[in-house]
Amino acid sequence: MATLEQLRAQDAWTKAADGIALHGRDYVNDAKGLPALIMNSGLMQVMAYLEDKGGRHHTLAQHLRLWLQGRFPQQFPSADFAAFMQALMQAAPADYQAITAEAFAWLKWLRQMAAARQS
């Protein structure tokens, strides 16, 4: 059985390949900067920003939503943007913190895997 870290790494490896195939170096750069954006503005605000920007930002947001939906299926019955945001707005503070922490843990892997897959 794979560890949670292995599952994160495997998912990030696959998503990085998809993101790079669609958007190239821009996806890698966005993946590298996303944790800082979340630290400065918060998960909900950044998810809304990414959705608004569209294109490669939408792809990155969708990849993160899919991972979080898989990790928190009770909170996120769907990875659809509107349903995801509604669930975040209704989350208890402890759940919101756990979801944000998981986002950071997955993004740590995505940053590394995207950079590795690009070179």
Side-chain angles (χ1 to χ4, degrees):
M1 176 107 186
T3 68
L4 181 53
E5 285 297 307
Q6 288 172 313
L7 293 173
R8 287 178 185 135
Q10 181 180 7
D11 188 70
W13 179 257
T14 303
K15 297 285 191 325
D18 294 345
I20 291 169
L22 289 170
H23 306 289
R25 179 181 270 294
D26 289 334
Y27 182 89
V28 177
N29 291 337
D30 292 342
K32 287 180 179 179
L34 197 56
L37 275 178
I38 294 171
M39 285 180 79
N40 289 330
S41 299
L43 181 61
M44 270 196 292
Q45 293 88 339
V46 170
M47 296 304 279
Y49 166 79
L50 294 172
E51 185 68 18
D52 178 56
K53 294 293 277 183
R56 69 183 196 260
H57 299 95
H58 171 79
T59 301
L60 183 55
Q62 184 177 35
H63 287 167
L64 179 55
R65 284 196 314 268
L66 285 167
W67 173 256
L68 292 173
Q69 192 252 339
R71 289 287 300 133
F72 300 95
Q74 299 292 351
Q75 282 92 348
F76 304 115
S78 166
D80 170 71
F81 172 71
F84 184 87
M85 292 298 282
Q86 194 66 28
L88 280 179
M89 286 184 252
Q90 295 172 352
D95 292 337
Y96 187 87
Q97 288 176 334
I99 293 162
T100 301
E102 183 59 35
F104 283 125
W106 182 79
L107 285 168
K108 181 179 105 178
W109 279 108
L110 183 66
R111 291 174 53 142
Q112 294 169 337
M113 295 306 191
R117 289 205 83 140
Q118 178 196 358
S119 45

